Amino acid sequence: MTTGNLIIYRGQDYSIPVTITDSNGDLFDITSATFTAPISRFENAPTSESFTIAKVTPASGIITLSLNSGETADLPWAGASWNLWIVNSGVREALIKGEITMEGAVE
């Protein structure tokens, strides 16, 4: 599992591309895979929000995780945790685990 800490600005749209690779570092075809990316107030807490996940280029393993401005406005100020999970051929695996740092938007 990879660690992926994020900085997100409160009240602003957020998106980040992610490329999925296999254990050899080769691009992984995610055409038949499903993903979830829950966000919780702290590790092992109930889910408070989830990233929207779009398969950008499935054959090359590229997805985008995103939150809209309303979703980022509702995230906790400190200590939020997130994970990216894949289900492929009936097997669920955590790919990324990290923390989210929320920043106030500068207008």
Side-chain angles (χ1 to χ4, degrees):
M1 180 180 351
T2 300
T3 299
N5 296 326
L6 306 174
I7 297 173
I8 297 176
Y9 288 89
R10 184 168 303 287
Q12 294 185 4
D13 292 341
Y14 179 84
S15 68
I16 186 169
V18 177
T19 301
I20 310 300
T21 57
D22 64 18
S23 59
N24 296 320
D26 297 323
L27 298 176
F28 185 76
D29 186 343
I30 57 168
T31 301
S32 62
T34 59
F35 296 89
T36 57
I39 301 168
S40 58
R41 187 165 187 84
F42 50 87
E43 193 171 354
N44 298 320
T47 300
S48 60
E49 195 62 71
S50 292
F51 283 98
T52 298
I53 302 170
K55 293 180 183 179
V56 177
T57 312
S60 298
I62 301 172
I63 62 173
T64 298
L65 307 178
S66 61
L67 296 167
N68 66 39
S69 59
E71 292 165 330
T72 64
D74 291 338
L75 291 176
W77 276 100
S81 294
W82 76 283
N83 294 75
L84 175 61
W85 294 89
I86 184 173
V87 177
N88 192 49
S89 300
V91 177
R92 184 175 188 240
E93 179 183 359
L95 299 177
I96 304 173
K97 173 183 177 178
E99 294 183 2
I100 297 174
T101 300
M102 294 302 299
E103 298 282 344
V106 178
E107 302 291 332

